Amino acid sequence: METPTRSTTSRRAPAPAKAPNPAPKAAAQKKSGKLVGPGAFKLLWDAHSVVGVFIGLGLFVIFYAGAFALYRGELHAWADPAIRSAEINLTMDEVVAPLFAEAPPAPGTDVSVKWPMRERLFYFIRYATAEGDSTRIVQAVVNPTTGERISPDRRTRFSRSTLSEILYRLHFFGQAGFWGEVIAGFIALFLLFAVVSGVLIHLRKLPKDWHTFRPKTKLRASLADAHTVLGLIGLPFAAMYAISGVFLALLVIILGPAVLVVFEGDPAKAEALAAGFDMPPHEASGEPAEMLSFAAYQTLLPESWEGVAYPTVMRVHNWGDANAIVQVFADNTPTAPSLTAGPQAILRATTGEILAANDPAVGTALGGTTTALVNLHYARMGPGTPLAKILYFFLAIATAAVILTGNVLWVLVRRPKDPRATPKLHRFLARLTIGVGCGLVLAVPVLFLTTALLPKDLASLPMWENIALFGTWGVLLAASFAGPSAVWAARWQLGLAGVLSLLVPLANGALTGAWLWVSASEGSWALFTVDTGFLLMGLMLIWIARRLKPDAHNLAASGDGLAAAPPAVVPSPAA
């Protein structure tokens, strides 16, 4: 009996190959809400994240330097003992008399005088004097107590040291000129977006995150808690600084189109709208005339200013001419604080007649808005200014910490299970974050110690101060890419920054005799504030450095602490 065999004709012919159907892929893409394919989406996401990290570093510099810029006047006094006394024993006329006798103002020039106030603890005078067929600019800084004349560096205008100006200008990238300020403005705009998006992301978890802080848990968890808690505490502060920073940094770009369109290309019309009055005509007549004293101008100010506003700047246009006018800028007295007032007045220089003025209690919409944003940005709160500056300082440091921890968390969240597979880009960003952030924290006390140790009459002092900050910062940035891990680099840089911060008040006391207790007993609160701030900051930095203890096993396995499994901040109780 034959065994039946399967006929070859009974086999089914293979089905023809079907072309790939793009419908499921397109449907999935549509369902996910992505407008581009997965490859392009990943590229855009990575680019977005990396740009965010770089912008975060810019924000850190802005806020950290801004914390010191709040104490611009105090830093001037700390850096130069010649201007430490703020007691005013001399009037403006007594200060300018020897200057005008030595080099009288050229006829028809502008003479600008500034009284001691806020960040200026001294008189400042600027004008042009005639020398043959040319003119020479004269500018002088005068101690209001002793009358000592200080020759300021042309980059500082206020003192022989650039310490205060370096940190102030770094706050808005002023070292890069106009474009640095524009970049700072756009970074502030990004901060405003980050604040809004951060609130939306954490909105449902705010009640829980508000009181969740675990400093003794793993590095990633403790950093996440610090990032969230500090971010919530400083949320109104960050939003205010984002709005005011955008306005101040991008004011030229904002007003430029407005001047062209609304004011027909005439900046004087915009100034008139802000002041509330038009500038009176003051073309030089060519007829010489005698100017009144500055004390006389002070007594002839509007009656509405009495007890409410005091002059801070006077600018005489067309000095020595019969048509000369005096433009007076004033500030509110501590007994009548106002966020929006910016009093101005125009007087005839030969008679003191009031040609135009505004009421300090009223102001204008544009002028009031601008003044309010400036006062909020610089913590000018009348009698509450000292407390406001302390609050601003700690909030600025906290915001800087939020930004830096956010960058570190970006790396930690994207770390693969196998630390050896960590992308080189992520390792680079981790090291860059440490170099920029911790490097600046360490470079600042180096700057202060350099200023304290070098002679104040050294002609090259400004150069050495710039080298101390930016040179040290650059070396530390390079050093952050060496060593076993980014955490290791952060630990030794923060620890050394803490030690050097503690040396700042010691150096000031040993070299100038202004010890903390001496400054407090003499009422030198500018020096006391700076030295106490460095003392507290030094202790805090040392504490943070001691808490950063990367796990040795993870370091050995991965070669990078931030790329390894989350290390414990402190040893576990079981250990």
Side-chain angles (χ1 to χ4, degrees):
M1 185 175 178
E2 295 183 2
T3 305
T5 59
R6 182 177 297 178
S7 172
T8 57
T9 59
S10 65
R11 295 179 181 176
R12 294 183 179 178
K18 295 182 179 180
N21 185 8
K25 183 178 179 180
Q29 181 174 318
K30 183 177 180 181
K31 184 178 181 181
S32 66
K34 299 176 183 177
L35 299 178
V36 296
F41 178 82
K42 183 179 183 303
L43 181 62
L44 288 175
W45 176 261
D46 289 343
H48 167 78
S49 301
V50 171
V51 170
V53 170
F54 279 98
I55 291 178
L57 294 178
L59 283 172
F60 171 83
V61 174
I62 287 174
F63 275 97
Y64 194 78
F68 291 91
L70 289 167
Y71 291 92
R72 191 179 175 191
E74 289 82 352
L75 295 183
H76 273 304
W78 189 95
D80 196 343
I83 57 174
R84 285 185 174 179
S85 176
E87 185 178 354
I88 301 177
N89 294 336
L90 302 173
T91 65
M92 179 62 78
D93 292 301
E94 292 173 329
V95 168
V96 301
L99 287 172
F100 288 178
E102 178 183 332
T109 190
D110 289 353
V111 176
S112 178
V113 296
K114 299 180 180 181
W115 276 260
M117 59 168 291
R118 288 195 293 264
E119 66 269 8
R120 294 193 308 270
L121 307 178
F122 32 79
Y123 286 109
F124 181 75
I125 303 95
R126 188 179 191 277
Y127 62 94
T129 184
E131 288 190 351
D133 296 334
S134 61
T135 58
R136 176 177 62 89
I137 299 298
V138 176
Q139 60 179 22
V141 172
V142 181
N143 189 310
T145 305
T146 64
E148 178 186 3
R149 194 184 307 175
I150 302 168
S151 299
D153 182 85
R154 62 182 178 83
R155 287 165 292 184
T156 68
R157 297 197 315 155
F158 296 138
S159 69
R160 297 171 292 183
S161 168
T162 57
L163 180 146
S164 179
E165 289 299 303
I166 288 175
L167 294 175
Y168 169 70
R169 296 181 67 80
L170 183 61
H171 167 57
F172 53 89
F173 305 146
Q175 282 81 3
F178 168 77
W179 291 110
E181 190 170 348
V182 170
I183 292 173
F186 280 106
I187 290 179
L189 190 62
F190 180 86
L191 172 63
L192 186 60
F193 166 76
V195 168
V196 174
S197 60
V199 170
L200 295 177
I201 290 172
H202 295 283
L203 189 60
R204 293 185 177 180
K205 301 190 298 178
L206 287 184
K208 177 174 177 281
D209 292 343
W210 174 256
H211 54 78
T212 302
F213 186 54
R214 299 159 291 177
K216 294 187 177 181
T217 186
K218 294 181 178 180
L219 179 62
R220 175 174 168 179
S222 60
L223 286 176
D225 292 344
H227 180 80
T228 304
V229 173
L230 293 176
L232 287 173
I233 293 174
L235 188 62
F237 174 80
M240 180 274 294
Y241 252 86
I243 295 172
S244 60
V246 169
F247 179 82
L248 294 176
L250 302 180
L251 187 60
V252 176
I253 296 178
I254 294 172
L255 289 183
V259 170
L260 290 174
V261 177
V262 180
F263 302 105
E264 301 175 350
D266 188 359
K269 293 183 179 180
E271 295 177 4
L273 181 62
F277 54 79
D278 293 324
M279 177 72 75
H282 56 280
E283 289 77 10
S285 65
E287 181 182 348
E290 189 73 19
M291 303 291 99
L292 297 181
S293 66
F294 291 103
Y297 297 137
Q298 289 180 274
T299 60
L300 295 171
L301 292 173
E303 293 182 0
S304 61
W305 287 25
E306 187 174 352
V308 177
Y310 62 96
T312 57
V313 178
M314 285 187 184
R315 188 170 296 126
V316 182
H317 299 277
N318 297 323
W319 177 271
D321 191 87
N323 281 347
I325 63 171
V326 184
Q327 189 175 12
V328 184
F329 299 90
D331 201 356
N332 287 81
T333 61
T335 57
S338 174
L339 277 177
T340 60
Q344 293 186 42
I346 306 293
L347 282 67
R348 190 164 301 281
T350 54
T351 63
E353 175 191 359
I354 299 175
L355 302 178
N358 57 25
D359 189 340
V362 180
T364 63
L366 177 59
T369 301
T370 303
T371 305
L373 289 173
V374 170
N375 289 339
L376 281 172
H377 195 85
Y378 291 104
R380 296 170 183 171
M381 309 292 181
T385 295
L387 291 177
K389 287 169 71 171
I390 293 174
L391 178 62
Y392 271 44
F393 179 85
F394 284 107
L395 288 175
I397 295 297
T399 305
V402 168
I403 295 166
L404 207 61
T405 54
N407 274 19
V408 175
L409 284 171
W410 186 92
V411 178
L412 290 176
V413 168
R414 288 158 179 79
R415 180 191 53 218
K417 293 182 179 180
D418 184 355
R420 291 168 296 185
T422 302
K424 291 183 179 180
L425 176 61
H426 293 186
R427 293 174 182 265
F428 170 80
L429 293 176
R431 303 279 187 154
L432 182 67
T433 297
I434 299 304
V436 172
C438 300
L440 178 59
V441 173
L442 176 51
V444 167
V446 172
L447 167 64
F448 276 78
L449 290 173
T450 301
T451 301
L453 294 174
L454 292 178
K456 301 304 173 290
D457 56 355
L458 183 66
S460 58
L461 176 61
M463 178 192 71
W464 287 112
E465 287 176 327
N466 278 275
I467 291 175
L469 180 71
F470 296 107
T472 302
W473 197 5
V475 170
L476 293 172
L477 178 60
S480 299
F481 288 88
S485 73
V487 174
W488 178 83
R491 189 183 185 193
W492 74 261
Q493 289 188 21
L494 292 178
L496 183 56
V499 173
L500 294 184
S501 296
L502 295 178
L503 292 179
V504 169
L506 297 178
N508 185 39
L511 296 172
T512 67
W515 299 98
L516 278 172
W517 54 90
V518 175
S519 300
S521 62
E522 295 179 351
S524 300
W525 300 115
L527 307 183
F528 182 82
T529 300
V530 175
D531 287 340
T532 303
F534 269 101
L535 183 63
L536 296 177
M537 185 174 294
L539 296 175
M540 177 61 69
L541 291 173
I542 292 174
W543 180 82
I544 295 175
R546 292 189 62 187
R547 294 294 179 182
L548 290 175
K549 296 181 180 179
D551 186 89
H553 173 74
N554 291 331
L555 287 177
S558 66
D560 195 317
L562 284 178
V569 179
V570 293
S572 63

